Amino acid sequence: MIFNLFKNLFVSGSNNELAEIVKNGSFLVDVRTPGEFSSGSVKNAVNIPLNTINQNLKKFAGKENIVVFCQSGGRSGLAKRILEQNGITSVTNAGGLQNVRQLLGQ
């Protein structure tokens, strides 16, 4: 149980798998605060802060490859868990913003 909790908090999949998911038209969701988001994110990312995920579940409906990320991977791990608890299973935690930037070459 505890192992699964920690596993979900960090990046899922290998970097090669993650790069393919991120590059292939994913719904990129930056779960940092609006202030953090306005200081810079990645192209085509939307800002849905972690504390508003439950109120914004409709924005995730029907999306195939959802990629969540934050500053270091902790909040995005929690976002992934919240989404999965609400039946949204096509979610990948990409970890931190720098990781996503590297994967996208930005």
Side-chain angles (χ1 to χ4, degrees), residues 26-94:
S26 297
F27 182 52
L28 298 172
V29 182
D30 187 332
V31 300
R32 298 177 302 150
T33 65
E36 289 172 301
F37 183 77
S38 68
S39 70
S41 190
V42 295
K43 185 177 179 183
N44 298 321
V46 298
N47 183 220
I48 304 175
L50 175 63
N51 66 336
T52 68
I53 295 286
N54 282 317
Q55 295 90 348
N56 286 291
L57 291 173
K58 289 181 181 179
K59 293 182 179 179
F60 296 93
K63 303 284 194 250
E64 285 192 26
N65 290 315
I66 300 166
V67 175
V68 292
F69 63 95
C70 60
Q71 189 62 37
S72 63
R75 286 177 282 179
S76 55
L78 292 173
K80 176 182 180 352
R81 191 157 177 232
I82 291 167
L83 292 168
E84 289 176 340
Q85 288 172 342
N86 283 280
I88 301 166
T89 58
S90 58
V91 183
T92 301
N93 175 9

